[in-house]
Amino acid sequence: MTSVKSPTFKPTTAMVLAAGLGKRMRPITSTIPKPLVEVRGRALIDYGLDALARNGVTRVVVNVHYLADLMKAHLRRRKDMEIVISDERDMLLDSGGGIVKALPELGTEPFYVINSDTFWIDGYRDNLDLMADLWDPAKMDVSLLIAEMRQATGYDGRGDFAMDPEGRLARVAERDMSPFIYAGAAIIKPSVFAGMQPERFSLNRVFDDAIEAGRLYGVRLGGLWITVGTPAALVEAEAAFQSSAAA
């Protein structure tokens, strides 16, 4: 019997991962945290928060560590959503542990997770809306926004995943390359963190568990994906915006 997908579910909560040290962005990050580095006069983190607000997210948890007071002061200016601070100044927990610590604030429904240093210029459709539209809890535990290398600015890796025709993801073999890159946005069921402790570990552990269960899926990004990991990538990001505006 063919399963019938339930009506579209849109997360109303989100986690923004913003506690990194930003070492590769020095000397810029000697005085400001990386999420507050500006592209076109706007802080990196605000591009992600804007996307969440456009898609009906009303509660966002942001983890902070490096120069946390500057982060908190900046986030207090947002009036379009409730922002809860998850303070990691005592111990930096990485992406996975940071989410586990924040789970009590995220509720029991699937939520968005976005990186604070990557964002995208939407194509024909809003990418977070597309992710929600394609979310199917019957077969997915985690859904990732996936960019192709030809859509990426500021990326110098070998790709992250292989994707089958149905969108199911698997890891790329160690010596292989893939055109598919994790674009820094996800929808995740809270249940995948069951039994995990708020200790330092990467979200990749959760991705690998979902792969083993056959429940990690990808949604192809429409538009242009931008990651800002180094000062040189800032120049590329500015140029990408100019090219997009001219297209």
Side-chain angles (χ1 to χ4, degrees), residues 135 140-144 186-188 192 206-207 210 215-217:
W135 172 254
M140 302 172 184
D141 287 336
V142 182
S143 175
L144 305 182
I187 297 177
I188 302 183
V192 303
V206 173
F207 296 168
R215 297 180 62 83
L216 182 72
Y217 281 75

Side-chain angles (χ1 to χ4, degrees), residues 141-152:
D141 287 336
V142 182
S143 175
L144 305 182
L145 186 62
I146 298 292
E148 295 186 43
M149 285 197 184
R150 62 180 177 81
Q151 300 171 285

